[in-house]
Amino acid sequence: MALLEVEDLVVQFYTEDGVVRAVDGISYEIERGEHLALVGESGAGKTVTSLALLGLIEDPGEIVGGEIRFRGRNILECSDSELRSLRGNEIAMVFQDPETALNPVYSVGEQIAEAIRAHRDVTDEQARRRTVELLERVGVSDAEHRYADYPHEFSGGQQQRIVIAMALSCEPDLLICDEPTTALDVTVEAQILELLEELVEEFETAIQFVSHDLGVVAERCDRVLVVYAGQVVERASVDDLYYDPKHPYTVGLMASIPRLGADRDRLPTIPGAAPDLIDPPTGCRFHPRCPYAESCCATREPSLVDAETGTTATPLEAAPTAHLAACHEYTGALEDGLDYDVVVSGEDEGRGESE
Amino acid sequence: MTLATYVRKRVLVSIPVLLGVTALTFSLLHLTPGDPVDAVLGFQEVDPDVRESLKAEYNLDRPVWEQYLFWLRDALVLEFGRSPITGRDVGATIADRLPYTLVLGGAAWLCSLLIGIPAGVVAAVKRGEPADEVSRIAALAGIATPNFWLGLVLLFVFSVRLGWFRVIPPDAPLLSPATLRFLILPTITLGTASAALVARLLRSSMLRELNASYVRTARAKGLPERTVICKHVLRNSLIAVVTVAGLQLTLLVDGAVVVEQVFSWPGMGRLLVGAIGQRDLPTVQATVLVVAVSVVLANLLVDIAYAVLDPRIRDER
């Protein structure tokens, strides 16, 4: 049994303009210690999926279908107090913008220590000592003194280190990182990612890494889930995805990664904008932006299939390493096929140390 | 900057403000139409020799700035002279009356916070539910009711009709059970509007804070909802309320002028109204000075409360 199994998750938001299906039938699993990436544009449903794991979907949102099983137990059926003992303890989250994620009026030490006190039977002094250790571990210098400092007295990178210390304070089994470096400088980004990698290895934590940046994901993750308009369009191991992307959307995403030494003046972008989720396109949701769309794409919705065999495959039943994609190409429905080449220019490019 | 440094700085900044206040109060004497001697004499007819000797006694023959310094020196040791009407020492009169106003104002202020803060929290957390509606309507009624009217109605219903409270204060020390019991109606009268204001303000400021990311972080940590609201959200929301609560502190002094009249409460408000009616200038001067100084002090307390609640404010300026 996988550590986490998400099955047919559906999350809706009731807005004045109509019902938004932010997550529409997403399924995936994360093995113990595995690093899984959720990749897609803003508004694809990555963050909503992450918040659903913690039971933190708030009004006007609602989980209307599916199951989230963590260690076999359905989170959606947990009581409030069961959820509380899960949050921060077994599943923790690192947020996008550390500056707003920390409460400005409490010292950083107190904000970490209170998480420890909430889940462990410790004295105030023990919680404090553990907090100082954690602060040292994430690279905050002079942790003993800086315990009492307030968030605004730290730089953005240090704030994110503090948020990471907070998330790891109770040694969770699953860490959700929601675009943890988007708000930071590029140089700081590299340090934070390195720190995260070190720590999750040390704590043997599984990661759900949410990002719009395929380049960042390539180096850190084992498998990738590409999400588009609330649905999974492709799922593969990192190597398969980068060397042999199967879905036209994934290809578009990869083409828009900047590369050193590339002789192009401008980065190619995917034409059009992410679809309106109140009234999504019929058929394949990507077809209005897809350069290879044919008439069947507008009428029939493609389901996830094994890209090798073309047989329908649900992510939870298929082998974890199977390469799944939701495109009519793999059921033979497209007449002209997908006409793109993947050029691998140099062995290291787009490929990290992870195997 | 530490909290202590911040407080010291704020106190130092208050000193020029206080000097300004004393200068304005002092000039009351000269801005009043007519000869200051008339003011000192309580506008009675006396022969010219007495006038001259009074001028010398009160230093009125000296330049204005010198007069101000003399007056300031006396004011610093709470020496305000005698009232030409009652012949009593003004300082002593104020010492008698001030505690009454402080007790009434303090009780009303406390009452406005003790009712306003919980009502605001409940309204924000139960947004759109019946509790929120009830709180909204009650607050609207509270803000819209003039306090002299509310005072008269309460007095009529609970004192005259039901006989639960006395109509005038008992002849007992301020802190005796009988007097404190009498204080209930004036406190409600004076505190209602402030409580309503605090509740509405806190509700809107909490609704704004509830959407902040740090609230999600606190929930994601697995903290109980009660801790999230009362520890994380409330402290941030109170910063907006403190401004108003501080202003209310001074409004309570204003309001006391009316409410003390309705309840025959022997405080500064009644003293001031009486002194103005009788053209008792030294008493007016001293009363205005005390009120003005308390406004400055209230503002100082607000500034300090900001810094206690929000560490970011300590580092500004």
Side-chain angles (χ1 to χ4, degrees), chain B residues 8 21 57 59 66 68 93 106 156 177 204 235 251 276 281 286:
Chain B
R8 221 170 304 142
V21 164
E57 188 190 333
N59 298 316
E66 238 179 271
Y68 169 64
T93 310
F156 180 73
S204 67
R235 183 152 164 193
L251 274 182
I276 290 172
L281 203 65

Side-chain angles (χ1 to χ4, degrees), chain B residues 72-234:
Chain B
L72 189 61
R73 184 196 61 197
D74 289 347
L76 280 178
V77 294
L78 304 176
E79 179 61 62
F80 297 105
R82 283 181 189 287
S83 156
I85 309 296
T86 61
R88 276 198 73 196
D89 182 60
V90 174
T93 310
I94 291 197
D96 280 351
R97 301 296 196 95
L98 190 57
Y100 281 85
T101 293
L102 288 182
V103 167
L104 174 57
W109 190 69
L110 215 61
C111 158
S112 74
L113 295 185
L114 288 181
I115 294 171
I117 290 177
V121 172
V122 169
V125 174
K126 308 264 178 212
R127 180 190 188 176
E129 292 176 31
D132 184 22
E133 289 300 307
V134 169
S135 144
R136 191 176 63 85
I137 292 165
L140 204 64
I143 291 173
T145 312
N147 56 15
F148 66 88
W149 183 83
L150 180 63
L152 286 173
V153 169
L154 289 178
L155 202 60
F156 180 73
V157 173
F158 293 101
S159 303
V160 177
R161 279 296 159 101
L162 296 171
W164 291 359
F165 300 99
R166 294 174 55 102
V167 178
I168 54 164
D171 190 13
L174 177 56
L175 293 178
S176 65
T179 314
L180 291 181
R181 182 190 158 109
F182 174 79
L183 201 61
I184 292 174
L185 291 186
T187 300
I188 294 172
T189 309
L190 198 53
T192 300
S194 299
L197 201 61
V198 167
R200 292 314 286 169
L201 204 79
L202 184 59
R203 176 185 180 271
S204 67
S205 120
M206 276 194 76
L207 286 178
R208 200 175 51 239
E209 293 295 331
L210 276 168
N211 285 322
S213 300
Y214 69 79
V215 179
R216 200 169 61 181
T217 313
R219 289 193 179 125
K221 266 189 250 184
L223 299 180
E225 190 62 15
R226 201 190 164 81
T227 312
V228 174
I229 299 293
C230 295
K231 181 173 175 184
H232 289 270
V233 180
L234 187 59

Side-chain angles (χ1 to χ4, degrees), chain A residues 101 106 110-111 114 119 152, chain B residues 217 221 231-232 236 315:
Chain A
Y106 287 101
E110 168 58 21
Q111 293 187 56
E114 77 175 342
H119 297 293
H152 73 276
Chain B
T217 313
K221 266 189 250 184
K231 181 173 175 184
H232 289 270
N236 279 286
D315 290 343

